[in-house]
Amino acid sequence: MKCDICGWREAKVVVYLIGGGELKNKLFLCPACSQEVSISRVVAPGSYKSPPSTRFFPLKKEGRKRCSFCQWEWEDFLKGGAVGCSHCYSSYSKEMQSWLSKNQLGMHHRGKIPINWQRQKKIQNAIFRLGRDLENAIEQENYEKAGHLKKVMEKLRSQLK
């Protein structure tokens, strides 16, 4: 039996297409095609009803770049907003960088922080830094500075409540 995708190598892998709890059809693949192509992308929805020649996407279209693993095209990402597999990120790294720089503020997600949380986080960081300074002042026996730092820390802690 020949491979349903390439059509010339001997098929050694069989994918059973099951619909409604019963076997509907089979997809025969050679070892090379079974490793190069993602089955989820090869088998179209409802493909068990159609003949083998119409049930999978073509491996290559002239002039269009495809992911080597799942055969996902860049246009598929632009239409749906998602990639086909994890390999797409390396296949389309240049395209994604240019798309992200045009459509977002940058390459890294910064997210949004609620104002109250951001304020509390700044106060907590200040208390932490003052605590380190307090320990250093005590080690250096600078008790006046340590007393001042302790008062500032108490004032900041009262703002957190």
Side-chain angles (χ1 to χ4, degrees), residues 106-124:
M107 294 298 291
H108 300 285
H109 176 71
R110 288 179 177 74
K112 293 185 179 181
I113 300 173
I115 293 170
N116 289 339
W117 187 85
Q118 189 174 17
R119 181 179 155 271
Q120 287 180 342
K121 190 68 175 165
K122 283 183 181 181
I123 292 172
Q124 288 172 349

Side-chain angles (χ1 to χ4, degrees), residues 105-144:
L105 293 177
M107 294 298 291
H108 300 285
H109 176 71
R110 288 179 177 74
K112 293 185 179 181
I113 300 173
I115 293 170
N116 289 339
W117 187 85
Q118 189 174 17
R119 181 179 155 271
Q120 287 180 342
K121 190 68 175 165
K122 283 183 181 181
I123 292 172
Q124 288 172 349
N125 288 340
I127 292 171
F128 178 75
R129 285 192 304 273
L130 288 171
R132 283 190 310 197
D133 293 344
L134 176 65
E135 288 175 7
N136 290 336
I138 292 172
E139 285 178 10
Q140 296 172 359
E141 297 181 4
N142 189 349
Y143 299 114
E144 289 178 18

Side-chain angles (χ1 to χ4, degrees), residues 45-62:
S47 63
Y48 57 84
K49 299 175 186 172
S50 59
S53 61
T54 61
R55 69 176 157 203
F56 40 80
F57 299 92
L59 283 175
K60 292 184 182 177
K61 282 186 182 176
E62 294 303 317

Side-chain angles (χ1 to χ4, degrees), residues 1 15 33 36 40 47 89 98 103 118-119 154 161:
M1 174 79 47
V15 178
C33 289
E36 289 178 16
S40 63
S47 63
Y89 291 103
S98 65
N103 294 301
Q118 189 174 17
R119 181 179 155 271
E154 288 173 2
K161 296 178 182 176

